[in-house]
Every structure is written in structure tokens, then in C-alpha cells.
Amino acid sequence: MLDRTLVDSLFPTDLPDPAFWEERYPPRQQPAEAKVTRLGPSPTGSLHLGGLYVATLNADIARRSGGAYLVRVEDTDQAREVEGAVEQFDRAFAYFGLQPDEHGETGSYGPYTQSQRAMIYQSYVRELLRRDQAYLCFATKDELAAITAQQQAQKVPTGYYGTWALWRNASAEEVRAKLDAGVPYVVRFRTPAEAANQRVHFVDAIRGRLEHEASRNDAVLLKSSDQDPRLPTYHLAHVVDDHLMRVNLVIRGEEWISSVPLHLQLFAALGFEPIEYAHVAPLMKQDGGSKRKLSKRKDPEASVDYYIETGFPAEAVLHYIRGLLNGRLADTPFTEALDAPLRLSECGVAGPLVDMVKLMDISADYVATLSGAEVFDAVRTWAGEYDAELATVLAKERDLALRAISVERDGVDNPRKDLRVWSDFRTAYGFFFDDLFQPVTDPSDERFGGLDPAVVRALAADFVAGYQLVDDPQEWFGQIRELAAKHGFAKNPKEYKKNPDAYPGSIREAAQVFRVAITGSTRSPDLHAVASALGTPEVLRRVGSLR
Ligand code: GLU
């Protein structure tokens, strides 16, 4: 055992004792049922959809119970840190209305960034060293690799434990000699000897009772002494932070289940109450015939940025996510689903599949419930960030945009579903706007389906000569019918099919000429509604461009 003077000499002299932090971060005054939850994103890249998934669950459970939800930036792996990641988290949470109750400068249990908590961890590490529940380890990389190789050769579990743990029982003199020589060290946990053949069990709020071998490894608690600041490993940081932030429900990814035995040992060694755990299954993706984890490296849709940049309405994504968390909510209507409670007991143990087609459908359904003005505002906000040209057009042409959006939307039973995400706007509605529309000038354009260019030209010229905008759709379409008849088109497709050589086409082909001339596309919303929204001068300009 190292004497106290030696242990204390390794730390700043003004380092507080744990009692100081206990007092600084007192238990929260809250009802017994209140849950304090947290998300611990690492700023090593943009937020993963799985992060949003777990955040949704955390925030819902905390708020509904009258507790608090906090975000703690877990930046102890400074080498992997990506600049701007924290700002991106904030932006993503704001987009989805998932702002934490405590984070950054907000809240009494901060700092909420681990690199700013180095002192706190050190207090607890020093305490463990003073009590001989931790020790200094000077093992080199090569020595560690040699231990692993021997363990593999002997077919025993790999790790730094028992008699394999070179520095577990080192004498104070050996330690002092290394320190005097300035050799860097890590601090390891001294696993209690009785752990060797123990099994531990605990109750997971999603999975029920779980049983595991006790942890035997003398885990590293504090990383190398030659780093500044000296930061803890995840394991120590989790235990200290969740204790001091008075978190009472840890919801995290299932990849941490196997660390629970170690975490329980650490809670016990530090004299902390253990915290309830809920381990969430990962989001999956169908990849050919098999399923795998949704991966930021392989799948663009794994990144939350993708949803923001593509312009998914937050409500649609949240509705989808909530349905994945609790199947009961998948078929619940929008108005109820976003307010309905999430329950840990209904979270699956197997990871749910993320199905983009399903999400797009949900999104289209959601957009169909919005008023034209709501759609306009949302598209404009999105375009302001991601499509400057469209933003300018919308600012200039608000009335036209509202007329365009209301085509087959306002006052109809089955509103159009051509807008799933805000970036669809350009394709679905861009043709309404002069600045975004290229008139079709060539009568032999392939969009006319191979009609004789002379016929296309003649139809267009006659249309321009006599066009009237009338309110009644039938009467409006009557003009096209008359023009078609005048230029020898069959009255209907059936007649045309019976004798294809007698006609240039049927009324359908004739109408397509005007659809393509007015909208630039062979598919469009109701042409009369489009023509009304555009106004007569613009309709004439477009059809008149065909020469
Ligand atoms: N920083 C950890 C991660 O990114 C958080 C795990 C936890 O929630 O405890 O996986």
C-alpha cells in the first residue's frame, strides 16, 4: 500500500476531498418518482440517429416524471474530437425540440462537459488510491501485448487481473523508483479479490433481470499521467458524473451492458448508491438479406444532419422514432402520438429496423395535415439554410407560392402528398416560379411523346389565340377539348386505339402538350388549378414559348 504522502504528492495540493463535491452537488429536491436522465454524446462527429432516438426517450421519461433531462458532453477522448460537434448537437436538439433542461451553462450540476471536470475525477481517484482500492500501473504497451499473447496461448481469459496484473501488488519502493525516473503511469481499479468467481445480477428497466460474471479486470480509471488535463476513462467518468449530477436512471446503448458489472463495483468502491439502468437496442438497417446496425460510416441516413438538411419535418421524424421505441405509437395519429408517454417496459430488446420508405410516407402524411401557410413557412425556413435561390424566390413570390401550395390541398378530402420533405418543394412546385422554370420552346421536345412538331406548334398557337381563364374546371378543359378536336385528335383513348393511324393521338396526348408547356413535366397537379394559380399572362407566355 502506498503511503498517503506519496499518494497526495501525485495531485495538486488544493485538490478538494470528495466531501466537497458531495456538498457542492447535493441530492435534488424532487418527488420520489421524478427521474433525472441524461445523454452523454461524445463530440467525435455529428449526432447519430440513435442519439436522437435515445434522447427522445430520456427527455420524455424525465419530463413526464417531473424530473430533469441533461446533456453531458463526453469529451475524454480528446484525440478523436471533431471541431463544431457540440454546436451541431445543440442545433440538432433544437430542430427536434429536444433541448435539455440542463447543459452548457444551464443547470446547477455542471460543468456539463467532462474535460472541465478533471478536478472532480481526480478527487475520487486520489480517495481510491488513499484507500488502496486503486493503484498506479506503469506497464508498457509491449508488456500489455505480451500478457495478452500469453493468455491466449494458455487459453485463459485475456485482461489485466490477478497475477497477470504486473503492478497490482508492486511494492512502494518499486512505485517510487518509477515515479522518480519520471515514467508515466495510469491509475487502475483494484478489483476486489472476491470478484474472481462471483456472478452479479441486476434488473435492467428494459430487459428485466440480467446475470453476468463479475468483472475481473483491473480497469484503467485515470488515463496516462503525461497528459494534460489528466482525464478519466468512460467507466470512472460515468460513475462519478451520474452520481454527482444525481442522475437516477441511466438510459444508454446496449453496448454498455457488459460493463455493468464493473460499474457496480465502482459504485460500491466509492460508496455511491447504484443507479437504475435501461439498455436500449441499436437501430438496425436491412442490408440485402441481412440486418446490421445503422452505421454513420455507411449510411447517410444514420446522421441526424441528413434529416435536417433534407428538410424532414421534425414532427414526422419524432413520430417515426416514437413508433420504433414503443410499437403502440406507430399507428397512433400525429396529434396524440407526440404527446403520448413513452414506456421503458415497451422498448424492444431487439433493435428496430429503420425504414426510410416508411418514414417518407409518414412525412408526406404529416405535411398533408398542414395548412398552406404552415407549409410555406416551413419551406421558407428550410430554404433559408439550404437553398438560397429558392429562399429568394419565396420571399419575392409569397402570394404565388401560397396559391401553388394550395392547389389540391386546401378544402379537399385527399390532399396532395407530393411534398414529403422540404427539399421536395423544388421538384414538386418549382415550376410555378418564373425564376425556377425553363419554358419548353422546342415542339419536338421528347416530353411531347413523339407528336408531330407541326401539330404541337399549331395547338400552342391556337391556344394562345383564344385562351380564357374560367372558374369552372369542366368549361376550362372544354377549350382544350375543342382545340384537340380541331386538330384531329380522337375524342378518347379508346377511339384512338381502335384506329391509331387516323389520329395524331387522343385528347390525352393533346392535353399533355399543354401540361408540358405549362408545367414542364408530363405529370402535374390538376392543370386548371395550376393555370389559375399561375394567372393568364404567365400561362400564355409559357404556351407561347413553343414556336
Ligand atoms: N459517451 C458515451 C457514448 O458515446 C455515452 C454512453 C452513456 O450514455 O453512458 O457512447
Side-chain angles (χ1 to χ4, degrees):
M1 179 162 173
L2 302 181
D3 65 64
R4 185 166 170 135
T5 325
L6 177 74
V7 169
D8 288 359
S9 73
L10 304 172
F11 296 90
T13 44
D14 57 352
L15 186 69
D17 281 329
F20 173 84
W21 303 116
E22 291 292 332
E23 201 175 314
R24 163 77 184 76
Y25 303 111
R28 294 171 186 256
Q29 299 299 317
Q30 61 186 12
E33 67 282 3
K35 296 290 181 207
V36 180
T37 64
R38 90 301 189 267
L39 187 79
S42 296
T44 51
S46 69
L47 193 67
H48 187 288
L49 186 64
L52 187 66
Y53 182 71
V54 177
T56 305
L57 187 57
N58 267 302
D60 191 273
I61 288 191
R63 302 234 167 101
R64 217 171 282 283
S65 67
Y69 160 60
L70 57 94
V71 167
R72 179 173 67 226
V73 175
E74 306 214 324
D75 59 347
T76 55
D77 193 351
Q78 301 215 307
R80 288 181 52 221
E81 194 158 333
V82 168
E83 218 182 289
V86 173
E87 291 70 28
Q88 189 270 346
F89 294 159
D90 290 346
R91 206 159 43 100
F93 293 135
Y95 187 85
F96 291 99
L98 286 169
Q99 290 93 338
D101 303 308
E102 300 175 16
H103 77 134
E105 302 301 311
T106 313
S108 320
Y109 289 82
Y112 296 93
T113 300
Q114 287 182 332
S115 60
Q116 294 168 20
R117 300 172 64 81
M119 287 257 282
I120 302 178
Y121 307 118
Q122 288 186 34
S123 291
Y124 286 93
V125 170
R126 183 179 64 187
E127 189 60 24
L128 289 174
L129 284 169
R130 283 175 177 171
R131 301 202 308 237
D132 205 29
Q133 286 172 300
Y135 62 90
L136 309 191
C137 170
F138 297 88
T140 62
K141 269 205 183 80
D142 290 346
E143 284 169 332
L144 294 174
I147 293 173
T148 311
Q150 282 181 46
Q151 288 169 331
Q152 281 164 343
Q154 294 179 25
K155 299 200 184 341
V156 296
T158 55
Y160 197 85
Y161 61 90
T163 50
W164 296 102
L166 295 178
W167 288 88
R168 187 176 161 102
N169 296 314
S171 67
E173 289 64 45
E174 288 171 293
V175 171
R176 207 184 299 272
K178 286 284 183 191
L179 287 174
D180 289 346
V183 180
Y185 61 90
V186 297
V187 178
R188 285 185 185 267
F189 180 53
R190 185 185 297 282
T191 309
E194 64 273 16
N197 294 307
Q198 256 176 7
R199 292 186 72 76
V200 285
H201 51 82
F202 60 98
V203 177
D204 183 280
I206 293 176
R207 290 151 199 268
R209 187 179 191 276
L210 297 177
E211 198 180 313
H212 235 278
E213 261 181 16
S215 163
R216 70 174 85 218
N217 209 30
D218 286 354
V220 174
L221 301 179
L222 201 58
K223 297 187 198 180
S224 182
S225 57
D226 59 0
Q227 283 178 11
D228 184 29
R230 289 187 66 186
L231 291 174
T233 55
Y234 167 76
H235 305 298
L236 181 75
H238 150 53
V239 171
V240 168
D241 288 346
D242 284 326
H243 169 72
L244 288 180
M245 293 181 177
R246 307 296 171 177
V247 168
N248 60 8
L249 172 62
V250 167
I251 303 175
R252 63 183 178 185
E254 74 172 13
E255 65 275 23
W256 297 109
I257 289 187
S258 58
S259 303
V260 172
L262 166 63
H263 298 161
L264 294 177
Q265 286 171 352
L266 292 176
F267 278 108
L270 291 164
F272 299 162
E273 278 287 308
I275 301 177
E276 184 179 24
Y277 286 111
H279 288 94
V280 181
L283 297 176
M284 307 294 285
K285 173 165 174 124
Q286 188 76 42
D287 192 354
S290 55
K291 291 179 192 169
R292 60 166 174 77
K293 278 192 199 172
L294 189 65
S295 137
K296 264 205 325 212
R297 208 164 34 82
K298 296 186 196 154
D299 314 312
E301 74 272 26
S303 168
V304 171
D305 272 348
Y306 165 80
Y307 299 87
I308 301 177
E309 285 162 16
T310 312
F312 277 84
E315 292 80 354
V317 177
L318 289 175
H319 184 280
Y320 184 58
I321 278 183
R322 294 169 74 84
L324 293 181
L325 280 162
N326 280 187
R328 152 183 65 93
L329 299 179
D331 300 315
T332 311
F334 275 101
T335 40
E336 292 157 48
L338 296 186
D339 288 332
L342 289 170
R343 298 189 191 115
L344 289 175
S345 58
E346 291 180 28
C347 290
V349 169
L353 271 184
V354 173
D355 177 349
M356 292 308 284
V357 175
K358 184 91 194 287
L359 173 56
M360 284 284 186
D361 284 349
I362 290 178
S363 203
D365 287 346
Y366 173 72
V367 175
T369 68
L370 300 178
S371 70
E374 287 169 326
V375 171
F376 176 82
D377 289 343
V379 175
R380 200 173 155 185
T381 305
W382 172 84
E385 283 287 323
Y386 301 105
D387 188 341
E389 187 187 25
L390 178 61
T392 311
V393 167
L394 292 176
K396 203 169 73 182
E397 300 272 22
R398 181 166 200 276
D399 291 344
L400 172 58
L402 286 170
R403 287 201 302 276
I405 295 168
S406 75
V407 168
E408 290 182 54
R409 166 182 301 278
D410 294 346
V412 299
D413 289 340
N414 261 326
R416 294 179 63 73
K417 298 216 171 138
D418 50 2
L419 211 51
R420 305 161 306 169
V421 292
W422 309 133
S423 54
D424 281 344
F425 187 86
R426 225 178 217 275
T427 337
Y429 294 85
F431 70 85
F432 279 95
F433 307 92
D434 249 18
D435 292 350
L436 305 177
F437 180 75
Q438 265 299 346
V440 188
T441 52
D442 178 4
S444 56
D445 190 289
E446 59 176 19
R447 282 168 286 183
F448 296 119
L451 275 182
D452 179 353
V455 175
V456 171
R457 199 179 289 122
L459 273 177
D462 268 4
F463 181 94
V464 172
Y467 176 72
Q468 298 274 338
L469 176 60
V470 288
D471 283 345
D472 180 58
Q474 289 306 323
E475 199 185 320
W476 185 87
F477 198 71
Q479 302 175 78
I480 290 181
R481 214 176 275 285
E482 270 171 37
L483 284 178
K486 178 174 165 197
H487 290 273
F489 286 79
K491 264 212 291 294
N492 55 50
K494 208 166 145 201
E495 207 169 285
Y496 171 51
K497 257 206 199 114
K498 260 194 267 167
N499 197 357
D501 294 336
Y503 310 99
S506 75
I507 175 73
R508 189 183 281 168
E509 284 71 34
Q512 277 303 78
V513 170
F514 299 106
R515 187 181 306 283
V516 169
I518 294 171
T519 71
S521 168
T522 53
R523 296 179 54 189
S524 82
D526 176 71
L527 208 49
H528 170 247
V530 172
S532 309
L534 279 173
T536 302
E538 181 61 14
V539 168
L540 293 180
R541 187 181 77 86
R542 291 186 181 189
V543 180
S545 304
L546 269 172
R547 284 176 214 282

